[in-house]
Amino acid sequence: EVHANKMLHLDLKPANIMVTESGTLKISDFGLARNTSHNEYIPTDDEGDKCYMASEVLEGIITPAADIFSLGIISLELAANVELPKHGDSWIALRENSDLVAGLLPPELRESVLSMIAFDYTERPTALEILTAIENERNMDSL
């Protein structure tokens, strides 16, 4: 609903995702959230968690794809049980080398996570496309 309401979170990370008693995920901490019509946001060094931030955000390119990247990095971290680099060559490699990342992921998650963390932000799926794919998979599993 965040993107459907023309908003970007820009600070998605595990600490900002809460789980209710019923297992529903809720996003919290909208302190860096921006309306999609305002493209001037450039984070300062003390804003946001760089572990989960898309590289284009640091260049001032703000699109919904930045949140999708963060979701992909969170998925990578959970699926591969790895600690993410906060900066440096490893941080850059994680964003630019899909072969490096692919080897960390189980086969059933590889394609979806790699699409979410694609270096070219225009190639990342939208939130609606991700939700549709999940729903389609659920429907196939119930057959």
Side-chain angles (χ1 to χ4, degrees):
E1 283 192 32
V2 174
H3 291 178
N5 288 311
K6 306 289 187 212
M7 295 297 295
L8 304 177
H9 188 278
L10 298 176
D11 195 21
L12 284 178
K13 57 187 175 185
N16 290 341
I17 301 174
M18 307 300 150
V19 183
T20 67
E21 287 183 19
S22 65
T24 302
L25 299 177
K26 300 279 186 173
I27 299 171
S28 66
D29 189 1
F30 283 80
L32 297 180
R34 297 291 186 265
N35 185 293
T36 56
S37 64
H38 300 103
N39 237 6
E40 74 283 350
Y41 172 75
I42 298 177
T44 63
D45 285 339
D46 61 342
E47 287 186 316
D49 192 326
K50 305 298 186 283
C51 283
Y52 303 95
M53 192 176 288
S55 56
E56 72 268 9
V57 173
L58 297 175
E59 298 170 11
I61 300 171
I62 310 301
T63 70
D67 286 342
I68 299 302
F69 178 87
S70 298
L71 179 61
I73 289 291
I74 293 166
S75 300
L76 168 65
E77 183 178 40
L78 293 172
N81 194 26
V82 294
E83 186 175 334
L84 300 172
K86 295 189 183 301
H87 51 76
D89 292 341
S90 297
W91 186 90
I92 294 167
L94 183 62
R95 285 148 177 80
E96 294 180 354
N97 188 343
S98 61
D99 292 335
L100 170 75
V101 174
L104 299 173
L105 291 164
E108 61 273 14
L109 294 176
R110 196 169 290 144
E111 184 179 334
S112 61
V113 172
L114 288 176
S115 70
M116 288 189 281
I117 65 170
F119 180 71
D120 181 348
Y121 67 93
T122 65
E123 294 179 6
R124 294 182 200 139
T126 65
L128 181 58
E129 289 169 340
I130 293 168
L131 291 172
T132 300
I134 291 168
E135 188 61 34
N136 289 342
E137 189 170 314
R138 282 185 186 153
N139 291 338
M140 291 298 291
D141 287 344
S142 66
L143 293 179

